[in-house]
PDB file of all heavy atoms in Angstrom:
ATOM      1  N   THR A   1     192.518 118.428 -47.256  1.00 90.00           N
ATOM      2  CA  THR A   1     191.107 118.698 -47.546  1.00 90.00           C
ATOM      3  C   THR A   1     190.224 118.283 -46.377  1.00 90.00           C
ATOM      4  O   THR A   1     189.179 118.880 -46.133  1.00 90.00           O
ATOM      5  CB  THR A   1     190.659 117.950 -48.810  1.00 90.00           C
ATOM      6  OG1 THR A   1     190.937 116.555 -48.650  1.00 90.00           O
ATOM      7  CG2 THR A   1     191.421 118.473 -50.030  1.00 90.00           C
ATOM      8  N   GLU A   2     190.634 117.245 -45.644  1.00 95.00           N
ATOM      9  CA  GLU A   2     189.861 116.784 -44.490  1.00 95.00           C
ATOM     10  C   GLU A   2     190.428 117.382 -43.210  1.00 95.00           C
ATOM     11  O   GLU A   2     191.614 117.702 -43.123  1.00 95.00           O
ATOM     12  CB  GLU A   2     189.909 115.253 -44.394  1.00 95.00           C
ATOM     13  CG  GLU A   2     191.328 114.716 -44.202  1.00 95.00           C
ATOM     14  CD  GLU A   2     191.379 113.208 -44.082  1.00 95.00           C
ATOM     15  OE1 GLU A   2     190.359 112.604 -43.735  1.00 95.00           O
ATOM     16  OE2 GLU A   2     192.459 112.647 -44.340  1.00 95.00           O
ATOM     17  N   PHE A   3     189.566 117.544 -42.215  1.00 97.00           N
ATOM     18  CA  PHE A   3     190.036 118.017 -40.921  1.00 97.00           C
ATOM     19  C   PHE A   3     190.724 116.871 -40.184  1.00 97.00           C
ATOM     20  O   PHE A   3     190.324 115.711 -40.281  1.00 97.00           O
ATOM     21  CB  PHE A   3     188.879 118.553 -40.083  1.00 97.00           C
ATOM     22  CG  PHE A   3     188.363 119.881 -40.556  1.00 97.00           C
ATOM     23  CD1 PHE A   3     187.020 120.054 -40.849  1.00 97.00           C
ATOM     24  CD2 PHE A   3     189.217 120.961 -40.702  1.00 97.00           C
ATOM     25  CE1 PHE A   3     186.537 121.269 -41.277  1.00 97.00           C
ATOM     26  CE2 PHE A   3     188.747 122.186 -41.139  1.00 97.00           C
ATOM     27  CZ  PHE A   3     187.403 122.348 -41.426  1.00 97.00           C
ATOM     28  N   THR A   4     191.752 117.219 -39.426  1.00 97.00           N
ATOM     29  CA  THR A   4     192.540 116.240 -38.690  1.00 97.00           C
ATOM     30  C   THR A   4     192.273 116.355 -37.193  1.00 97.00           C
ATOM     31  O   THR A   4     191.594 117.282 -36.727  1.00 97.00           O
ATOM     32  CB  THR A   4     194.036 116.462 -38.938  1.00 97.00           C
ATOM     33  OG1 THR A   4     194.412 117.743 -38.389  1.00 97.00           O
ATOM     34  CG2 THR A   4     194.346 116.441 -40.431  1.00 97.00           C
ATOM     35  N   VAL A   5     192.841 115.419 -36.447  1.00 97.00           N
ATOM     36  CA  VAL A   5     192.737 115.467 -34.981  1.00 97.00           C
ATOM     37  C   VAL A   5     193.298 116.792 -34.457  1.00 97.00           C
ATOM     38  O   VAL A   5     192.743 117.382 -33.519  1.00 97.00           O
ATOM     39  CB  VAL A   5     193.493 114.276 -34.358  1.00 97.00           C
ATOM     40  CG1 VAL A   5     193.568 114.421 -32.835  1.00 97.00           C
ATOM     41  CG2 VAL A   5     192.822 112.963 -34.746  1.00 97.00           C
ATOM     42  N   GLU A   6     194.360 117.263 -35.079  1.00 97.00           N
ATOM     43  CA  GLU A   6     194.982 118.507 -34.621  1.00 97.00           C
ATOM     44  C   GLU A   6     194.148 119.732 -34.962  1.00 97.00           C
ATOM     45  O   GLU A   6     194.339 120.802 -34.371  1.00 97.00           O
ATOM     46  CB  GLU A   6     196.379 118.644 -35.242  1.00 97.00           C
ATOM     47  CG  GLU A   6     197.391 117.648 -34.716  1.00 97.00           C
ATOM     48  CD  GLU A   6     197.219 116.257 -35.308  1.00 97.00           C
ATOM     49  OE1 GLU A   6     196.599 116.126 -36.389  1.00 97.00           O
ATOM     50  OE2 GLU A   6     197.721 115.293 -34.700  1.00 97.00           O
ATOM     51  N   ASP A   7     193.219 119.601 -35.917  1.00 97.00           N
ATOM     52  CA  ASP A   7     192.328 120.716 -36.254  1.00 97.00           C
ATOM     53  C   ASP A   7     191.186 120.868 -35.252  1.00 97.00           C
ATOM     54  O   ASP A   7     190.580 121.934 -35.164  1.00 97.00           O
ATOM     55  CB  ASP A   7     191.717 120.511 -37.659  1.00 97.00           C
ATOM     56  CG  ASP A   7     192.729 120.709 -38.767  1.00 97.00           C
ATOM     57  OD1 ASP A   7     193.622 121.564 -38.600  1.00 97.00           O
ATOM     58  OD2 ASP A   7     192.638 120.004 -39.786  1.00 97.00           O
ATOM     59  N   VAL A   8     190.885 119.798 -34.526  1.00 97.00           N
ATOM     60  CA  VAL A   8     189.736 119.833 -33.607  1.00 97.00           C
ATOM     61  C   VAL A   8     189.833 120.977 -32.597  1.00 97.00           C
ATOM     62  O   VAL A   8     188.877 121.749 -32.442  1.00 97.00           O
ATOM     63  CB  VAL A   8     189.570 118.464 -32.906  1.00 97.00           C
ATOM     64  CG1 VAL A   8     188.605 118.571 -31.733  1.00 97.00           C
ATOM     65  CG2 VAL A   8     189.076 117.429 -33.908  1.00 97.00           C
ATOM     66  N   PRO A   9     190.955 121.130 -31.877  1.00 97.00           N
ATOM     67  CA  PRO A   9     191.001 122.251 -30.928  1.00 97.00           C
ATOM     68  C   PRO A   9     190.980 123.617 -31.607  1.00 97.00           C
ATOM     69  O   PRO A   9     190.515 124.599 -31.011  1.00 97.00           O
ATOM     70  CB  PRO A   9     192.318 122.028 -30.170  1.00 97.00           C
ATOM     71  CG  PRO A   9     193.127 121.144 -31.035  1.00 97.00           C
ATOM     72  CD  PRO A   9     192.157 120.281 -31.780  1.00 97.00           C
ATOM     73  N   LEU A  10     191.457 123.700 -32.848  1.00 98.00           N
ATOM     74  CA  LEU A  10     191.399 124.968 -33.573  1.00 98.00           C
ATOM     75  C   LEU A  10     189.956 125.308 -33.921  1.00 98.00           C
ATOM     76  O   LEU A  10     189.524 126.466 -33.788  1.00 98.00           O
ATOM     77  CB  LEU A  10     192.249 124.893 -34.845  1.00 98.00           C
ATOM     78  CG  LEU A  10     193.716 124.471 -34.666  1.00 98.00           C
ATOM     79  CD1 LEU A  10     194.461 124.563 -35.997  1.00 98.00           C
ATOM     80  CD2 LEU A  10     194.412 125.325 -33.618  1.00 98.00           C
ATOM     81  N   LEU A  11     189.196 124.319 -34.345  1.00 97.00           N
ATOM     82  CA  LEU A  11     187.774 124.532 -34.630  1.00 97.00           C
ATOM     83  C   LEU A  11     187.021 124.934 -33.368  1.00 97.00           C
ATOM     84  O   LEU A  11     186.160 125.812 -33.392  1.00 97.00           O
ATOM     85  CB  LEU A  11     187.166 123.269 -35.234  1.00 97.00           C
ATOM     86  CG  LEU A  11     187.579 122.921 -36.659  1.00 97.00           C
ATOM     87  CD1 LEU A  11     187.174 121.494 -37.003  1.00 97.00           C
ATOM     88  CD2 LEU A  11     186.964 123.903 -37.652  1.00 97.00           C
ATOM     89  N   ASP A  12     187.357 124.276 -32.265  1.00 97.00           N
ATOM     90  CA  ASP A  12     186.670 124.590 -31.008  1.00 97.00           C
ATOM     91  C   ASP A  12     187.001 126.008 -30.549  1.00 97.00           C
ATOM     92  O   ASP A  12     186.133 126.733 -30.057  1.00 97.00           O
ATOM     93  CB  ASP A  12     187.075 123.584 -29.934  1.00 97.00           C
ATOM     94  CG  ASP A  12     186.149 123.620 -28.740  1.00 97.00           C
ATOM     95  OD1 ASP A  12     185.033 123.100 -28.843  1.00 97.00           O
ATOM     96  OD2 ASP A  12     186.530 124.194 -27.698  1.00 97.00           O
ATOM     97  N   GLU A  13     188.249 126.413 -30.717  1.00 97.00           N
ATOM     98  CA  GLU A  13     188.647 127.770 -30.347  1.00 97.00           C
ATOM     99  C   GLU A  13     187.917 128.788 -31.220  1.00 97.00           C
ATOM    100  O   GLU A  13     187.450 129.828 -30.729  1.00 97.00           O
ATOM    101  CB  GLU A  13     190.165 127.921 -30.507  1.00 97.00           C
ATOM    102  CG  GLU A  13     190.732 129.197 -29.922  1.00 97.00           C
ATOM    103  CD  GLU A  13     190.836 129.175 -28.411  1.00 97.00           C
ATOM    104  OE1 GLU A  13     190.891 128.082 -27.832  1.00 97.00           O
ATOM    105  OE2 GLU A  13     190.864 130.270 -27.803  1.00 97.00           O
ATOM    106  N   LEU A  14     187.826 128.497 -32.509  1.00 97.00           N
ATOM    107  CA  LEU A  14     187.105 129.393 -33.416  1.00 97.00           C
ATOM    108  C   LEU A  14     185.633 129.469 -33.056  1.00 97.00           C
ATOM    109  O   LEU A  14     185.018 130.543 -33.108  1.00 97.00           O
ATOM    110  CB  LEU A  14     187.276 128.921 -34.860  1.00 97.00           C
ATOM    111  CG  LEU A  14     188.646 129.189 -35.491  1.00 97.00           C
ATOM    112  CD1 LEU A  14     188.825 128.399 -36.773  1.00 97.00           C
ATOM    113  CD2 LEU A  14     188.833 130.683 -35.749  1.00 97.00           C
ATOM    114  N   ALA A  15     185.031 128.334 -32.690  1.00 96.00           N
ATOM    115  CA  ALA A  15     183.622 128.337 -32.289  1.00 96.00           C
ATOM    116  C   ALA A  15     183.420 129.213 -31.058  1.00 96.00           C
ATOM    117  O   ALA A  15     182.399 129.900 -30.932  1.00 96.00           O
ATOM    118  CB  ALA A  15     183.147 126.914 -32.019  1.00 96.00           C
ATOM    119  N   GLU A  16     184.400 129.199 -30.166  1.00 96.00           N
ATOM    120  CA  GLU A  16     184.312 130.045 -28.972  1.00 96.00           C
ATOM    121  C   GLU A  16     184.403 131.522 -29.353  1.00 96.00           C
ATOM    122  O   GLU A  16     183.706 132.364 -28.792  1.00 96.00           O
ATOM    123  CB  GLU A  16     185.453 129.676 -28.008  1.00 96.00           C
ATOM    124  CG  GLU A  16     185.305 130.226 -26.609  1.00 96.00           C
ATOM    125  CD  GLU A  16     184.243 129.510 -25.794  1.00 96.00           C
ATOM    126  OE1 GLU A  16     183.689 128.497 -26.253  1.00 96.00           O
ATOM    127  OE2 GLU A  16     183.966 129.987 -24.674  1.00 96.00           O
ATOM    128  N   LEU A  17     185.267 131.837 -30.304  1.00 96.00           N
ATOM    129  CA  LEU A  17     185.436 133.222 -30.746  1.00 96.00           C
ATOM    130  C   LEU A  17     184.256 133.706 -31.584  1.00 96.00           C
ATOM    131  O   LEU A  17     183.885 134.886 -31.519  1.00 96.00           O
ATOM    132  CB  LEU A  17     186.721 133.348 -31.568  1.00 96.00           C
ATOM    133  CG  LEU A  17     188.043 133.135 -30.825  1.00 96.00           C
ATOM    134  CD1 LEU A  17     189.188 132.975 -31.817  1.00 96.00           C
ATOM    135  CD2 LEU A  17     188.322 134.305 -29.872  1.00 96.00           C
ATOM    136  N   LEU A  18     183.674 132.804 -32.368  1.00 96.00           N
ATOM    137  CA  LEU A  18     182.625 133.199 -33.309  1.00 96.00           C
ATOM    138  C   LEU A  18     181.232 133.149 -32.705  1.00 96.00           C
ATOM    139  O   LEU A  18     180.367 133.956 -33.053  1.00 96.00           O
ATOM    140  CB  LEU A  18     182.667 132.296 -34.549  1.00 96.00           C
ATOM    141  CG  LEU A  18     183.892 132.461 -35.448  1.00 96.00           C
ATOM    142  CD1 LEU A  18     183.941 131.333 -36.472  1.00 96.00           C
ATOM    143  CD2 LEU A  18     183.859 133.815 -36.150  1.00 96.00           C
ATOM    144  N   GLY A  19     180.976 132.181 -31.824  1.00 91.00           N
ATOM    145  CA  GLY A  19     179.606 131.973 -31.381  1.00 91.00           C
ATOM    146  C   GLY A  19     178.803 131.395 -32.528  1.00 91.00           C
ATOM    147  O   GLY A  19     179.334 130.989 -33.563  1.00 91.00           O
ATOM    148  N   SER A  20     177.496 131.332 -32.366  1.00 65.00           N
ATOM    149  CA  SER A  20     176.629 130.785 -33.418  1.00 65.00           C
ATOM    150  C   SER A  20     176.488 131.776 -34.559  1.00 65.00           C
ATOM    151  O   SER A  20     176.296 132.975 -34.334  1.00 65.00           O
ATOM    152  CB  SER A  20     175.252 130.461 -32.853  1.00 65.00           C
ATOM    153  OG  SER A  20     175.354 129.456 -31.871  1.00 65.00           O
ATOM    154  N   ALA A  21     176.610 131.262 -35.767  1.00 50.00           N
ATOM    155  CA  ALA A  21     176.313 132.102 -36.923  1.00 50.00           C
ATOM    156  C   ALA A  21     174.826 132.399 -36.950  1.00 50.00           C
ATOM    157  O   ALA A  21     174.016 131.621 -36.441  1.00 50.00           O
ATOM    158  CB  ALA A  21     176.733 131.388 -38.215  1.00 50.00           C
ATOM    159  N   PRO A  22     174.397 133.539 -37.514  1.00 43.00           N
ATOM    160  CA  PRO A  22     172.977 133.894 -37.515  1.00 43.00           C
ATOM    161  C   PRO A  22     172.083 132.783 -38.056  1.00 43.00           C
ATOM    162  O   PRO A  22     171.035 132.497 -37.502  1.00 43.00           O
ATOM    163  CB  PRO A  22     172.936 135.141 -38.411  1.00 43.00           C
ATOM    164  CG  PRO A  22     174.305 135.733 -38.289  1.00 43.00           C
ATOM    165  CD  PRO A  22     175.235 134.571 -38.149  1.00 43.00           C
ATOM    166  N   GLN A  23     172.508 132.122 -39.145  1.00 43.00           N
ATOM    167  CA  GLN A  23     171.665 131.080 -39.712  1.00 43.00           C
ATOM    168  C   GLN A  23     171.574 129.874 -38.784  1.00 43.00           C
ATOM    169  O   GLN A  23     170.552 129.191 -38.728  1.00 43.00           O
ATOM    170  CB  GLN A  23     172.177 130.639 -41.094  1.00 43.00           C
ATOM    171  CG  GLN A  23     173.600 130.093 -41.111  1.00 43.00           C
ATOM    172  CD  GLN A  23     174.623 131.183 -41.342  1.00 43.00           C
ATOM    173  OE1 GLN A  23     174.409 132.333 -40.966  1.00 43.00           O
ATOM    174  NE2 GLN A  23     175.731 130.825 -41.983  1.00 43.00           N
ATOM    175  N   GLN A  24     172.670 129.603 -38.004  1.00 44.00           N
ATOM    176  CA  GLN A  24     172.630 128.500 -37.051  1.00 44.00           C
ATOM    177  C   GLN A  24     171.672 128.815 -35.912  1.00 44.00           C
ATOM    178  O   GLN A  24     170.913 127.963 -35.464  1.00 44.00           O
ATOM    179  CB  GLN A  24     174.031 128.232 -36.504  1.00 44.00           C
ATOM    180  CG  GLN A  24     175.010 127.707 -37.557  1.00 44.00           C
ATOM    181  CD  GLN A  24     176.412 127.642 -37.021  1.00 44.00           C
ATOM    182  OE1 GLN A  24     176.859 128.538 -36.303  1.00 44.00           O
ATOM    183  NE2 GLN A  24     177.118 126.584 -37.362  1.00 44.00           N
ATOM    184  N   THR A  25     171.742 130.047 -35.424  1.00 41.00           N
ATOM    185  CA  THR A  25     170.845 130.464 -34.349  1.00 41.00           C
ATOM    186  C   THR A  25     169.397 130.367 -34.800  1.00 41.00           C
ATOM    187  O   THR A  25     168.529 129.880 -34.070  1.00 41.00           O
ATOM    188  CB  THR A  25     171.162 131.916 -33.934  1.00 41.00           C
ATOM    189  OG1 THR A  25     172.532 131.995 -33.555  1.00 41.00           O
ATOM    190  CG2 THR A  25     170.300 132.355 -32.768  1.00 41.00           C
ATOM    191  N   GLN A  26     169.123 130.814 -36.020  1.00 42.00           N
ATOM    192  CA  GLN A  26     167.757 130.765 -36.539  1.00 42.00           C
ATOM    193  C   GLN A  26     167.286 129.323 -36.684  1.00 42.00           C
ATOM    194  O   GLN A  26     166.150 128.988 -36.366  1.00 42.00           O
ATOM    195  CB  GLN A  26     167.694 131.478 -37.898  1.00 42.00           C
ATOM    196  CG  GLN A  26     166.272 131.594 -38.452  1.00 42.00           C
ATOM    197  CD  GLN A  26     165.390 132.427 -37.540  1.00 42.00           C
ATOM    198  OE1 GLN A  26     165.777 133.506 -37.109  1.00 42.00           O
ATOM    199  NE2 GLN A  26     164.207 131.921 -37.217  1.00 42.00           N
ATOM    200  N   ALA A  27     168.185 128.449 -37.161  1.00 41.00           N
ATOM    201  CA  ALA A  27     167.810 127.044 -37.318  1.00 41.00           C
ATOM    202  C   ALA A  27     167.475 126.424 -35.970  1.00 41.00           C
ATOM    203  O   ALA A  27     166.516 125.666 -35.841  1.00 41.00           O
ATOM    204  CB  ALA A  27     168.952 126.272 -37.991  1.00 41.00           C
ATOM    205  N   ARG A  28     168.275 126.748 -34.936  1.00 42.00           N
ATOM    206  CA  ARG A  28     167.998 126.215 -33.605  1.00 42.00           C
ATOM    207  C   ARG A  28     166.684 126.749 -33.067  1.00 42.00           C
ATOM    208  O   ARG A  28     165.881 126.022 -32.488  1.00 42.00           O
ATOM    209  CB  ARG A  28     169.151 126.557 -32.649  1.00 42.00           C
ATOM    210  CG  ARG A  28     168.985 125.924 -31.275  1.00 42.00           C
ATOM    211  CD  ARG A  28     170.188 126.167 -30.380  1.00 42.00           C
ATOM    212  NE  ARG A  28     170.339 127.571 -30.072  1.00 42.00           N
ATOM    213  CZ  ARG A  28     171.338 128.330 -30.489  1.00 42.00           C
ATOM    214  NH1 ARG A  28     172.276 127.819 -31.251  1.00 42.00           N
ATOM    215  NH2 ARG A  28     171.412 129.609 -30.149  1.00 42.00           N
TER     216      ARG A  28
END
């Protein structure tokens, strides 16, 4: 249920592939 140390690079890779979600961009 919790993210692990090994999930960190997977999240970072996904962030690179996804970019900012529209709601995140609007919030910024």
Side-chain angles (χ1 to χ4, degrees):
T1 55
E2 61 179 338
F3 287 126
T4 65
V5 172
E6 291 77 21
D7 288 326
V8 167
L10 306 185
L11 289 166
D12 195 76
E13 190 76 23
L14 286 166
E16 194 74 7
L17 293 167
L18 292 169
S20 297
Q23 59 270 30
Q24 294 172 319
T25 303
Q26 186 62 48
R28 185 175 65 247

